[in-house]
Amino acid sequence: MKTYAIEGMHCAACASSVEKAVNKLDGINEASVNQLTEKVSIDFDESKLSLDDISKAVSDAGYTLVTQTEPTRSDDTFQNFSVTGMTCASCAQTVEKAVAKLPQVHSASVNLATEKLSVTWEETADAQLIQETVADAGYQAELALSAKEQYEVDQARKETKLNSMKQTLIKMAIFTIPLFILTMGPMVGMPLPSVIDPSIHPGANAVLQLILTTPVLYFGLDIFKRGFKTLFNGHPNMDSLVAVGTGAAYLQGIVMTALIPFGQVDTHEHLELYFESAAVILTLMTLGKYMEELAKGRTSSAIKSLMELAPDTARVVRENGEVETIPVEMLNIGDIIQVRPGESLPVDGEMVEGHSSIDESMLTGESLPVEKTVGDLVTGASINKTGAFKYKATRIGQDTMISQIVRMVQDAQVLKHRLRN
């Protein structure tokens, strides 16, 4: 089961449209869309279906599939790499053969569609060896993002989206508010300059309404694109309703404005124009979606709290006795890590020197520290309370307990219970 982000979903009908579009494809075993997290989890037969096919189906439904996969769960001898520079099946075969020839590698598999290299090692993993081998073959390989890094990427993407929506909303409001005053003001007795007074110069008033409304429709163009696309695909959603309604109001206003100079419109009473309806509806729709995105962002606070439990760096004791502080991502299985009182453990491992009391409440809920000595297992993100000690890293990256907990929380958000299907 692989998980991908979906852009453009704003309601349950959107999620249903994407899910139906993906499940229709031949080769899909299961596809589940979660509107809250804006992600789709897909289990498919890669011999029958490629990621490009799925992306096209999602695009045809009116949405966008973000094809950067989330990192997958692994064991001690398995790693995933992102490979850049591949453009065809021959490129993928070149990378796969180059890595598979290494004596330390048990098996290697390259997926061109996702640009991922999966490596199963005979014994100990060596990411640097893979990067060098792939570079010699003419490509670039990087370890697949950790859960924390992927979370940060997702959050950055959502932040960019929020900022874009905010700017669009401000631009729409700049035109909508004067338009609303222009049309609704006279109905509550607000005087207007004679040059745009509908009872004196109805044509000028109508043209000004048209001028103010057109930019609002332009800024809300995405709503029209999604709305009509889903409508034509037979899965209309709220965007479809708004697009049809505001589009009809805008076209009706253009026709009425064109008829005013020919005396075909009764201008003695309120002009039968609905420009302000189209603009206000689009602006309020955008405001609602912006507030919804803000609310969604708060639902990931639990994951963020889990991510922050483990430190970003570790002190590694080298063979010559020197202590070096390195990023956690550079740790290898078997590295000896030094931990001082009050510090959090970066990864899981086995104590090899010293003894201490460790707070494992983040894992077990037990408030009392647990005594640990040589030979005992320790867990990443737990807190060292009293003594200094050294331990050997046994699980790193996606294999650590905290990463697996984060993964379970993310899976719980993304996957729907079978009873809902």
Side-chain angles (χ1 to χ4, degrees):
M1 185 77 74
K2 296 182 178 180
T3 303
Y4 305 91
I6 299 289
E7 293 182 346
M9 294 194 305
H10 298 286
C11 61
C14 299
S16 178
S17 297
V18 173
E19 192 168 294
K20 288 178 181 177
V22 175
N23 277 311
K24 282 180 181 179
L25 298 174
D26 183 30
I28 293 291
N29 299 322
E30 181 184 358
S32 177
V33 177
N34 186 290
Q35 179 202 347
L36 178 63
T37 59
E38 295 184 340
K39 292 185 178 180
V40 55
S41 296
I42 309 172
D43 179 17
F44 64 98
D45 186 347
E46 295 185 15
S47 64
K48 296 181 179 179
L49 196 64
S50 71
L51 185 59
D52 290 338
D53 297 327
I54 299 174
S55 180
K56 185 177 184 303
V58 174
S59 177
D60 290 342
Y63 308 91
T64 303
L65 181 73
V66 181
T67 55
Q68 182 181 21
T69 60
E70 293 187 329
T72 57
R73 195 179 284 116
S74 59
D75 56 40
D76 292 347
T77 59
F78 181 83
Q79 287 182 317
N80 276 327
F81 295 83
S82 298
V83 181
T84 57
M86 297 189 300
T87 57
C88 61
S90 177
C91 300
Q93 290 178 359
T94 300
V95 173
E96 186 169 316
K97 289 179 180 179
V99 175
K101 286 192 299 185
L102 296 173
Q104 301 93 327
V105 173
H106 179 269
S107 64
S109 176
V110 175
N111 186 316
L112 177 61
T114 60
E115 296 186 336
K116 287 290 191 295
L117 165 64
S118 300
V119 180
T120 302
W121 298 88
E122 290 287 356
E123 296 180 355
T124 304
D126 188 350
Q128 186 175 355
L129 178 61
I130 295 297
Q131 291 173 326
E132 292 174 353
T133 302
V134 174
D136 290 340
Y139 307 90
Q140 298 293 324
E142 295 290 340
L143 267 175
L145 296 176
S146 65
K148 183 175 182 178
E149 291 170 329
Q150 184 63 52
Y151 171 81
E152 291 172 350
V153 169
D154 289 342
Q155 289 303 108
R157 178 176 56 82
K158 291 180 180 179
E159 189 67 26
T160 300
K161 180 181 178 181
L162 267 176
N163 290 335
S164 176
M165 292 181 68
K166 182 179 180 180
Q167 293 298 321
T168 300
L169 179 60
I170 292 173
K171 292 174 183 177
M172 296 174 81
I174 289 174
F175 291 94
T176 300
I177 293 174
L179 175 63
F180 187 79
I181 295 174
L182 176 67
T183 55
M184 296 293 107
M187 300 182 69
V188 295
M190 181 183 295
L192 293 177
S194 59
V195 69
I196 56 172
D197 191 316
S199 60
I200 303 175
H201 297 288
N205 183 277
V207 170
L208 182 57
Q209 289 188 44
L210 175 61
I211 292 173
L212 291 172
T213 305
T214 302
V216 178
L217 267 70
Y218 174 76
F219 295 133
L221 195 59
D222 285 344
I223 295 176
F224 286 91
K225 289 180 179 178
R226 288 192 302 266
F228 285 115
K229 203 165 193 177
T230 54
L231 179 63
F232 295 147
N233 287 334
H235 301 291
N237 57 14
M238 187 176 293
D239 287 339
S240 304
L241 178 63
V242 171
V244 171
T246 56
Y250 184 71
L251 292 176
Q252 184 267 356
I254 292 177
V255 172
M256 294 292 285
T257 301
L259 293 176
I260 289 176
F262 301 100
Q264 302 296 314
V265 178
D266 185 5
T267 60
H268 294 89
E269 297 183 1
H270 180 71
L271 293 176
E272 296 296 331
L273 301 176
Y274 300 97
F275 285 124
E276 86 287 348
S277 298
V280 170
I281 289 173
L282 286 171
T283 303
L284 291 179
M285 182 79 169
T286 304
L287 173 62
K289 290 183 177 182
Y290 175 71
M291 295 177 66
E292 183 182 13
E293 289 299 321
L294 284 176
K296 285 180 181 178
R298 298 190 181 100
T299 63
S300 58
S301 58
I303 294 179
K304 182 179 180 180
S305 299
L306 287 173
M307 298 279 190
E308 293 174 345
L309 290 175
D312 296 325
T313 60
R315 281 192 304 277
V316 178
V317 181
R318 300 304 184 187
E319 293 181 358
N320 58 7
E322 292 184 358
V323 178
E324 180 183 359
T325 301
I326 63 173
V328 172
E329 292 79 11
M330 294 180 63
L331 284 174
N332 292 314
I333 294 174
D335 283 346
I336 302 301
I337 302 171
Q338 182 187 75
V339 182
R340 297 170 181 169
E343 295 180 341
S344 296
L345 280 64
V347 294
D348 300 352
E350 179 183 347
M351 192 176 291
V352 296
E353 181 182 318
H355 63 87
S356 182
S357 297
I358 297 180
D359 181 359
E360 296 182 339
S361 58
M362 48 71 61
L363 179 64
T364 64
E366 175 58 57
S367 59
L368 295 177
V370 180
E371 293 293 329
K372 297 286 184 177
T373 187
V374 174
D376 290 339
L377 298 178
V378 291
T379 306
S382 56
I383 302 174
N384 180 28
K385 286 293 187 179
T386 55
F389 64 90
K390 297 177 183 178
Y391 74 101
K392 178 174 65 176
T394 58
R395 293 194 294 181
I396 61 177
Q398 291 298 296
D399 302 326
T400 62
M401 182 66 69
I402 188 65
S403 291
Q404 293 182 34
I405 292 174
V406 169
R407 175 63 55 188
M408 291 175 67
V409 173
Q410 290 175 329
D411 288 347
Q413 286 186 325
V414 174
L415 299 178
K416 294 187 292 187
H417 194 281
R418 294 185 182 275
L419 290 176
R420 291 183 59 191
N421 296 327

